[in-house]
Amino acid sequence: MGTASSLVSPAGGVGEVIEDTYGGGGEACEIPVEVKPKARLLRGSLRRVGASRPGGLIGASFKSTASVQELECVAEYERLKKEYEIFRVSKNNEVASMVKKEAKLDRENKRLRAELQALQKTYQKILREKESALEAKYQAMERAATFEHDRDKVKRQFKIFRETKENEIQDLLRAKRELEAKLQRLQAQGIQIFDPEESDSDDNCTDVTATGAQSEYWNGALGSEPSMGSMMQLQQSFRGPEFAHSSIDVEGPFANINRDDWDAAVASLLQVTPLFSHSLWSNTVRCFIISTDETQPEVDIFISNYSPKLQRICETMGYFFQVVHFSAENERPLKDVRKWEIEKSSLVILLLHLTLPNCLLEDCEEAFLRNPEEKPRLIYHRKEDGRVSSVSVQQLIEQISYVNKAKVIDHIGGVEEGAYEIYNCVEKIIKQDILGCEMTELESKDLGNKEESTAPEEEVFGDVLWDAHDEQEQMEAFQQACNSTCELGFEKYFERLNDLVAAPAPIPPLLVSGGPGSGKSLLLSKWIQLQQKHSPNTLILYHFVGRPMSTSSESALIIKRLTLKLMQHSWLVSPLTLDPAKLLEEFPRWLEKLSARHQGSIIIIIDSIDQIQQAEKHMKWLIDPLPVNVRVIVSVNVETCPQAWRLWPTLHLDPLNSKDVKSLISAECNCANVKLTKEQEKKLERHCRSATTCNALYVTLLGKTIACVGNRGNIDETLQQCFQCQDTVSLYRLVLRSIQESLQSDKEKGLLREILCVIGVSHNGVSESELMELYPELSSAVLASLVHSLHKMCLLTYGCGLLKFQHLQAWEMTRSEYMDEGENVISAYRQKLVEYFTMQLSRDRVTWRSADELPWLFQQQGDKQKLHKCLLNLFVSQNLYKRGHFAELLSYWQLVGKDKSSMAAEYFDSLKEYEKSCEGEESMICLADLYETLGRFLKDLGLLSQAVAPLQRSLEIRETALDPDHPRVAQSLHQLAGVYVQWKKFGNAEQLYKQALEISENAYGAEHPRVARELDALATIYQKQNKYEQAEQLRKKSFKIRQKAARRKGSLCGFALLRQRALQLEELTLGKDTPDNARTLNELGVLYYLQNNLETAELFLKRSLEMRERVLGPDHPDCAQSLNNLAALYNEKKHYDKAEELYEKALDIRRRALAPDHPSLAYTVKHLAVLYKKMGKLDKAVPLYELAVEIRQKSFGPKHPSVATALVNLAVLYCQMKKQIEALPLYERALKIYEDSFGHMHPRVGETLKNLAVLSYEGGDFEKAAELYKRAMEIKEAETLLIGGKATSRHSSSGDTFSLKSALSPNIFPEHGQR
């Protein structure tokens, strides 16, 4: 802008107005005109006057001269004032102009933001329309393919129909001509012919009876068919079909529970972050033993002889077992360690004889009298004739009996018998109270003829493979962070995180940054707790990334876990790819699809995301626009944050201020009763001023170091040592050296080094039981002491039962302190782990630990040959695959240098070699499981044509070794159908899914998750075939089943809730007799049965029956329910006579009260029939088996395959009773139904032909028997030709020697235990 005078015209007035046409919006601005100073004018006038007068101003005085100077100053002041005024006015105009421009830009910004939001909505709309169009396109293509298929099918059927009818017409014409010729001959002979239509007789009239209404509830085949392999053994008892839950009535164990109460329990089970005590969510069964010198022999025998057995039992179910025992000389100095071990323990055992030392009293009181969680406790008291225990022993037992429900063993006898009695009781406590399992491998062998069994839940999400250990590791990481009492002034950060959730979309992820150990994990955990408390509708999905290269840092597993959690909370079960690349690609679409189904907001939190390998590549979905109701928060270290992410909104965690530092150190010191002086506090304040020394982890570690020294040492000296450590790693080094100095011997110092180094080179950590096997010289007391010191000083922590480093800096310190000599040291420790886990494989102990560690160790060592050999161990690969570690398995094969086809070929060869060594029923079932795993693996690799053969082989083995109606057969059918679905062969898939559905309903009942899985699969097929109404009906039915059956059991958390629920219900049943109280008692019986606590279950079921008989009358259907449940319980306990009486009563009531085809009646018939057969009362079983045939005919029609199965079962029973004549028509009718339903080459047709061959052979018709057997073998060979081999000839009627529990035992599923 120019000067003001440049805008003034010479002729302008003093107040001329100039219009600003640029920024002022047309407003007038007043510009003053420049005026010459008066003093200057006066001087000029005086000079002119002086010049005009001769002599000038002769009379001028000094005063006049001063006045002139004053006038000049005034004039100069006026001039400056005018210039300032001009400057001020011009700047005011500029400011006004800028304000107007700012307002204008703000309006433009709002307009553009509105347009951006509109464009975002338009983009989302177009994206949905695009997906709808693609889906419509695919549907149209599927409809076209289906139409062509149906058209070809109709053409073929019409051609067959036409040829058939033409042949029938020709036959009728020939018959007509023959009849006409015969009629002419008869007439020629003079014989009179009568017209049938003139007859009045109605002898040939028949009544047609309609079939009854369909029912889907008949449960299972009531027997099995004999085969050629058992010609001489038909008299043996045969395996029954009792696949349903033996104690579950048709209404189900939860149908008689108050729905609201059960929904609340399910809601608790489905919490994302359930908080339980350490002993509940720990993956280790810890047994703490307190003993006196008198009972030391029992302890020694128990640890040496029985502890390995208990370890094996726990190992088969995926748990560790650890016995902790302190000898008498170690009792006093390890008081804190013993108290810590008692708090962690799952079970405490007290062994007493005559006396009780005073040094043990404190431990006994801590374990038995202060037990708020009511964890299991056991007292072993050895007595002797003629000798009385001391007063202290008697008083302690009385106090414990009064306060706590501890199990007491009063033993009179030898030491070895006492140790065995302790073992039996501990085994029972572990199974029932701690792990909540129903049966182990050992029991299943003892109860081999047990038919009623409960199959374990396989996958929570249908066909999606899930690793419970990965989920438990995340729960523990969150739990440990939440347990911290330190807040560190997080309130200001909470507000920022809350603002993120409330901000309008679209919004990029929020970056929580800070240095290592700055408290990022603690901040996020505390905020998650607050969100769950104040915003229950908000779904929070979290993932805490651990050490680099650990399982928790694998991107594919993280994405799969987040997807599955979304599916779980959306009650959605859909096929999910395991291909890592496709998984990462499809995750944004899953997120958008599933977020649309969720009512509230979804918050995804990933802690330490920068620890993921190639995080920027594998987490590129973070850059894409997120759905409207989704917020993402990720935490990173400042140094390792990817450059592209630094543009996101960032919440940086500042170093702690002096107040927080002081409070944090004071809190640690107060816990140890340590008081710092003012001078020491000032020194600490001066030290903790830099960024590294104000770090939250550094300050915490500093406080723990001071507290550990406490009153025992010189705090000033410790402070001087700490002040020399300027970062967390160096402070960790000081902590480690202080721990070393506290150890008493060089041996313990060496063990400390070994423990830290082994944990440092492992994949995911090492368990305490593994450490004791690695180092036999390491006692449980020494290990407990070392772990306590390392855990207390934040070096080690527990994760999924494994010891691992608590912070990354502790791991770095260990590597620099102990393994800085080079790769040779690291390689030596890795080799030690390799030898240990290899030894486990040689002993047939393929656990989840060996599958996790051994291939990874070979990969780190670069030993491709050993890695290749390890991968060809079928059980190692099966364990990795079944736990969802598909990406990890692929990476190993890629390192070996094998492609997909080579993998498939090598697995086939290994399986064929393994099959040659398979002998016996269990090994064949295990082989079938391996074939199924291979088929699923090949299907996930996209090798569909090669996946069919192993799945069909698995199906054949299971149908032969088990029973065509066995639930594992349904599993094979389901997996084979899945391949056909991907292959677009929907007709074949639909038939297989329907067979699987029928078997599952028969085996588990109509409201089991397995049934829901088959319904979902059928719904998917119908939707692909545009049968939307049928698909919708099946999906609704499946959804209801899944809601009812959501996680009824199978986890520690679930059993903890069941126990808590049982205690609540016990209080409700103390009132008067009412139907509701009777129902509650029945529910209690079922709940205790689910925990395998049969004695308590029997008590409540009896009370329920008695109350119902008093209130409702003995003939009420509810009484039949109690009778049925109680009978099932007696059947479980092998009290067959009592079970028979109760089943007969229940059947009598239900026959009188219910319809002939009612599902409850069908269940009672089935249970009683199998019981009769088991007891050898075949005459009583026959009418019930005949009734089974009738019910199936009314439910499904006379030509349904399930009717054929019932006919075969009845025929087998007749064969056992030597009634071959009655059995023959049943076999023939079943064969006709099977051939019409499945075709002439189906395996069931072959099995029935073998049964008929047996029947003909026993009847002496050897030629017919040979013909039938030949046809059966042709069917079998046609099936086995697909994989180029023959299965061992096996039959399914060899006797009641195999139960479902043994079929599904952990021995068959190595991911839960051994091979």
Side-chain angles (χ1 to χ4, degrees), residues 498-513:
N498 293 334
D499 292 340
L500 169 77
V501 178
I507 185 170
L510 176 68
L511 207 64
V512 179
S513 68

Side-chain angles (χ1 to χ4, degrees), residues 134-144 1023-1024 1026 1028:
L134 287 174
E135 187 176 357
K137 174 185 174 183
Y138 294 144
Q139 290 176 354
M141 294 172 64
E142 291 174 2
R143 285 197 298 269
Q1023 187 172 1
K1024 291 180 180 294
N1026 300 322
Y1028 298 110

Side-chain angles (χ1 to χ4, degrees), residues 400-411:
I400 294 173
S401 302
Y402 179 76
V403 176
N404 201 333
K405 297 179 181 179
K407 173 75 174 176
V408 179
I409 300 176
D410 291 324
H411 176 68

Side-chain angles (χ1 to χ4, degrees), residues 834-875:
V834 166
E835 292 172 357
Y836 169 74
F837 287 113
T838 304
M839 181 183 64
Q840 280 195 334
L841 291 187
S842 65
R843 296 175 179 175
D844 292 339
R845 288 175 61 188
V846 181
T847 63
W848 67 278
R849 288 287 298 136
S850 56
D852 267 355
E853 293 288 336
L854 198 55
W856 183 85
L857 289 168
F858 287 139
Q859 182 191 43
Q860 296 302 308
Q861 289 186 326
D863 195 335
K864 297 183 180 180
Q865 184 177 358
K866 290 184 178 179
L867 175 60
H868 187 206
K869 182 179 178 182
C870 179
L871 293 175
L872 288 180
N873 185 312
L874 300 171
F875 297 96

Side-chain angles (χ1 to χ4, degrees), residues 1303-1315:
L1304 303 181
S1305 68
N1307 211 26
I1308 305 303
F1309 296 103
E1311 73 273 14
H1312 296 299
Q1314 68 200 43
R1315 190 173 74 186

Side-chain angles (χ1 to χ4, degrees), residues 941-954:
L941 287 174
L943 306 176
L944 300 181
S945 58
Q946 299 182 45
V948 172
L951 289 175
Q952 286 185 334
R953 178 63 173 150
S954 172

Side-chain angles (χ1 to χ4, degrees), residues 821-944:
E821 301 174 8
E823 285 294 325
N824 293 333
V825 178
I826 298 176
S827 180
Y829 282 109
R830 283 179 178 159
Q831 184 61 32
K832 190 173 187 66
L833 285 176
V834 166
E835 292 172 357
Y836 169 74
F837 287 113
T838 304
M839 181 183 64
Q840 280 195 334
L841 291 187
S842 65
R843 296 175 179 175
D844 292 339
R845 288 175 61 188
V846 181
T847 63
W848 67 278
R849 288 287 298 136
S850 56
D852 267 355
E853 293 288 336
L854 198 55
W856 183 85
L857 289 168
F858 287 139
Q859 182 191 43
Q860 296 302 308
Q861 289 186 326
D863 195 335
K864 297 183 180 180
Q865 184 177 358
K866 290 184 178 179
L867 175 60
H868 187 206
K869 182 179 178 182
C870 179
L871 293 175
L872 288 180
N873 185 312
L874 300 171
F875 297 96
V876 172
S877 298
Q878 182 191 47
N879 192 293
L880 283 172
Y881 174 76
K882 282 202 166 186
R883 291 190 296 115
H885 292 231
F886 181 81
E888 185 179 349
L889 189 58
L890 277 186
S891 67
Y892 293 147
W893 278 107
Q894 289 171 0
L895 180 65
V896 173
K898 301 291 183 179
D899 57 7
K900 297 179 180 180
S901 300
S902 301
M903 277 191 283
E906 293 196 20
Y907 275 134
F908 264 123
D909 294 340
S910 298
L911 263 176
K912 289 178 181 177
E913 287 297 320
Y914 178 76
E915 186 172 359
K916 293 178 181 178
S917 63
C918 288
E919 295 180 359
E921 202 160 7
E922 288 191 13
S923 61
M924 291 302 294
I925 296 168
C926 185
L927 176 66
D929 195 50
L930 289 171
Y931 269 116
E932 180 190 302
T933 302
L934 176 59
R936 297 177 67 174
F937 180 65
L938 296 178
K939 181 184 73 171
D940 291 331
L941 287 174
L943 306 176
L944 300 181

